[in-house]
């Protein structure tokens, strides 16, 4: 079966077409600047040359039609007709408390995702636009929604209720949801597979460290706690997001700097983290470069990031009462040997020991723990699209 995986953003659309007989990617690509001037599609078919198509793309329906045209194009397409697409898997950011797993899309599911817009005002609307466009163009093809929040729904109440008046949880759904769930699920399953042990027998901490970063504590295959919360702002310090701060700081800064709600929101989401502390960049590569040239604040930002990772791993090991496996994934997790070494050095008290030579690499799947280490440490490149394709194939079968 061939499965189309879609990840719709407000002005972008990423896609991958999988052949599930061998899980190969037949083509992938990106539509950019939907609804804006200068919109374009970059289509990358496997074994054929990349195509860039510059054309007016006013909305998600046009974007998806364009993707389907590219996939079926006689020259640079990879399938002969749209009928070859057996199902479509959509990445949806917020599934609230309603969606605890991947779900076949029908009218009610669309209505439920729409009801969740207040919880993800920037992310769910483009997801819905993608679903609606696909349902109108491919009315007979099953559509599946895979939620970023779903894997974390196994968290117990003690992990997800905030120390706020309980009525806000009941009235507005203010609780911790967690994000990057598809990534945490993919790497935890993959780690168990590499080890050849059932997930149900393992205690794992998975670290998704990219522009946005989160850590999950997984016991017997179930998330027990995670660092992101009501929004992806909570937890670790990130590229441009503050992560945890004393909440009283927010009203204090608002008053001192005369900021509106929108401005303080932007401050916490776009001007903080590596960028805010270092003053250099939200991209760790640039911060590392500045630090190596002696930039004090750049080094401080890096040290703070490492320390927060260690802090949460320590807390989560205590919460799930042990650890068998530690996984690093995403842009920084996969590509920063310095980060992995610095973090693992602080975890030797857990009898976790890495092979520092084996750790010196970027972007591939590898075990980096030493033979005597009680805790197995893996670097596993994440693959959310493949997870979505697998879920979609399983559900429509
Ligand atoms: P997103 O959350 O946007 O998907 P990614 O998972 O792509 O982000 O991660 C982006 C982060 O990964 C950036 O901070 C970038 O600096 C970092 N990164 C990518 N490659 C490297 C590298 N070679 N060394 C250090 N950091 C890297």
């Amino acid at each position: 079966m061939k499965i189309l995986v879609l990840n719709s953003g407000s002005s972008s659309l990423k896609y991958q077409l999988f052949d599930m007989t061998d899980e190969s990617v037949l083509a992938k690509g990106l539509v950019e600047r939907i609804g804006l001037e200068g919109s374009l599609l970059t289509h990358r078919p496997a074994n054929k040359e990349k195509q860039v198509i510059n054309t007016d793309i006013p909305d998600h329906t046009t974007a998806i039609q364009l993707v389907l045209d590219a996939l079926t194009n006689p020259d640079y397409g990879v399938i002969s007709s749209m009928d070859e697409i057996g199902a479509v898997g959509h990445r949806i950011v917020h599934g609230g408390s309603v969606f605890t797993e991947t779900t076949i899309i029908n009218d009610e599911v669309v209505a439920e995702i729409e009801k969740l817009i207040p919880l993800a005002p920037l992310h769910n609307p483009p997801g819905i636009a993608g679903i609606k466009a696909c349902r109108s163009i491919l009315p007979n093809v099953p559509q599946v929604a895979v939620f970023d929040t779903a894997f974390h729904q196994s968290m117990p109440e003690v992990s997800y209720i905030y120390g706020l008046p309980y009525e806000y949880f009941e009235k507005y759904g203010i609780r911790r949801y967690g994000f990057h769930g598809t990534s945490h699920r993919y790497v935890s399953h993959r780690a168990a597979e590499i080890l050849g042990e059932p997930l149900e027998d393992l205690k794992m901490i998975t670290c998704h460290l990219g522009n946005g970063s989160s850590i999950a504590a997984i016991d017997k295959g179930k998330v027990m706690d995670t660092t992101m919360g009501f929004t992806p702002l909570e937890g670790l310090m990130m590229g441009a997001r503050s992560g945890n701060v004393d909440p009283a700081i927010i009203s204090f800064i608002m008053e001192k700097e005369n900021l509106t709600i929108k401005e303080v929101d932007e401050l916490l989401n776009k001007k903080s983290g590596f960028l805010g502390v270092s003053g250099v960049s939200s991209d760790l590569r640039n911060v590392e470069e500045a630090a190596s040239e002696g930039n004090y604040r750049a080094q401080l930002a890096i040290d703070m990031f490492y320390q927060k990772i260690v802090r949460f791993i320590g807390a989560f090991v205590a919460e799930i009462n042990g650890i068998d496996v530690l996984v690093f994934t995403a842009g920084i997790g996969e590509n920063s040997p310095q980060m992995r070494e610095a973090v693992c050095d602080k975890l030797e008290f857990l009898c976790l020991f890495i092979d520092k030579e084996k750790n010196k690499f970027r972007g591939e799947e590898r075990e980096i723990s030493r033979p005597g280490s009680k805790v197995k440490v893996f670097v596993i490149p994440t693959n959310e699209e493949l997870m979505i394709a697998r879920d979609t194939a399983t559900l429509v079968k």
Side-chain angles (χ1 to χ4, degrees):
M1 187 195 292
K2 297 193 177 94
I3 305 255
L4 179 62
V5 173
L6 294 180
N7 182 355
S8 306
S10 57
S11 68
S12 70
L13 174 82
K14 287 189 211 139
Y15 64 94
Q16 287 197 23
L17 183 68
F18 286 87
D19 182 346
M20 296 312 283
T21 49
D22 59 356
E23 296 190 334
S24 61
V25 177
L26 299 174
K28 57 177 156 183
L30 169 67
V31 186
E32 291 168 273
R33 304 187 59 80
I34 300 172
L36 303 169
E37 210 143 294
S39 46
L40 72 154
L41 162 70
T42 310
H43 174 67
R44 297 171 192 276
N47 311 319
K48 289 184 191 172
E49 225 164 88
K50 161 181 118 174
Q51 300 291 319
V52 179
I53 299 158
N54 294 283
T55 177
D56 202 22
I57 311 173
D59 50 38
H60 283 77
T61 307
T62 316
I64 288 168
Q65 188 61 60
L66 208 63
V67 169
L68 293 170
D69 290 347
L71 291 171
T72 53
N73 184 284
D75 297 327
Y76 49 80
V78 291
I79 49 176
S80 52
S81 101
M82 292 201 309
D83 298 341
E84 285 188 49
I85 299 172
V88 182
H90 297 266
R91 177 193 177 213
I92 302 296
V93 170
H94 217 307
S97 307
V98 187
F99 296 106
T100 56
E101 55 189 23
T102 298
T103 306
I104 298 231
I105 295 170
N106 55 27
D107 292 343
E108 281 137 49
V109 169
V110 177
E112 281 298 334
I113 302 173
E114 275 175 334
K115 275 196 218 152
L116 294 168
I117 289 176
L119 296 181
L122 300 179
H123 293 105
N124 272 20
I128 295 164
I131 291 174
K132 287 188 170 168
C134 257
R135 291 182 91 203
S136 75
I137 302 170
L138 302 164
N140 301 318
V141 177
Q143 318 265 330
V144 165
V146 182
F147 300 92
D148 263 17
T149 48
F151 188 47
H152 301 298
Q153 291 305 301
S154 52
M155 278 194 288
E157 258 183 329
V158 288
S159 296
Y160 72 72
I161 298 289
Y162 285 108
L164 291 167
Y166 196 79
E167 70 211 56
Y168 296 120
F169 163 60
E170 296 173 308
K171 246 166 81 182
Y172 305 118
I174 294 180
R175 50 159 285 182
R176 306 183 63 253
Y177 291 100
F179 298 87
H180 295 139
T182 310
S183 176
H184 288 291
R185 185 155 59 100
Y186 175 80
V187 298
S188 57
H189 281 246
R190 183 70 197 127
E193 195 175 85
I194 300 169
L195 275 172
E197 286 181 41
L199 203 51
E200 291 66 35
D201 292 349
L202 296 167
K203 290 178 191 288
M204 280 196 202
I205 309 280
T206 51
C207 305
H208 176 110
L209 309 172
N211 255 324
S213 295
S214 69
I215 298 180
I218 303 171
D219 191 8
K220 304 187 181 77
K222 304 254 181 260
V223 175
M224 302 309 284
D225 207 345
T226 187
T227 56
M228 283 181 168
F230 180 60
T231 74
L233 185 56
E234 192 180 337
L236 294 163
M237 183 175 103
M238 310 177 208
R241 287 181 224 154
S242 64
N244 288 355
V245 296
D246 180 341
I249 295 169
I250 296 162
S251 52
F252 185 89
I253 298 184
M254 284 178 84
E255 204 166 34
K256 289 279 177 207
E257 299 268 320
N258 208 5
L259 299 182
T260 62
I261 291 174
K262 204 163 167 253
E263 285 165 337
V264 81
D265 194 57
E266 184 160 313
L267 176 82
L268 295 166
N269 278 288
K270 301 203 170 137
K271 296 182 182 165
S272 300
F274 303 157
L275 174 65
V277 175
S278 72
V280 174
S281 169
S282 63
D283 190 305
L284 184 64
R285 279 165 293 199
N286 302 336
V287 182
E288 282 178 351
E289 199 181 307
S292 72
E293 287 160 4
N295 184 316
Y296 172 78
R297 275 172 47 192
Q299 189 59 53
L300 176 63
I302 292 170
D303 293 342
M304 285 169 65
F305 180 56
Y306 294 175
Q307 187 247 19
K308 309 267 173 293
I309 298 169
V310 171
R311 175 189 288 175
F312 280 113
I313 292 174
F316 284 176
V317 170
E319 270 190 60
I320 61 172
N321 194 15
I323 174 172
D324 302 303
V325 182
L326 176 68
V327 183
F328 292 104
T329 192
I332 299 171
E334 293 163 26
N335 293 301
S336 178
Q338 300 95 297
M339 178 279 297
R340 295 190 300 251
E341 181 175 327
V343 167
C344 291
D345 272 352
K346 294 274 190 189
L347 300 174
E348 290 191 345
F349 77 100
L350 295 168
C351 294
L352 180 157
F353 304 107
I354 61 163
D355 179 328
K356 294 187 178 175
E357 282 311 306
K358 246 195 194 166
N359 176 46
K360 285 186 184 141
F361 74 101
R362 300 181 194 282
E364 55 183 82
E365 188 173 283
R366 194 183 280 192
E367 181 183 342
I368 57 170
S369 36
R370 287 211 306 257
S373 178
K374 260 198 186 161
V375 182
K376 302 281 175 206
V377 186
F378 293 103
V379 178
I380 301 179
T382 193
N383 196 339
E384 289 157 281
E385 292 77 13
L386 177 59
M387 196 83 233
I388 294 173
R390 283 183 186 164
D391 273 12
T392 305
T394 308
L395 262 196
V396 301
K397 262 180 214 157

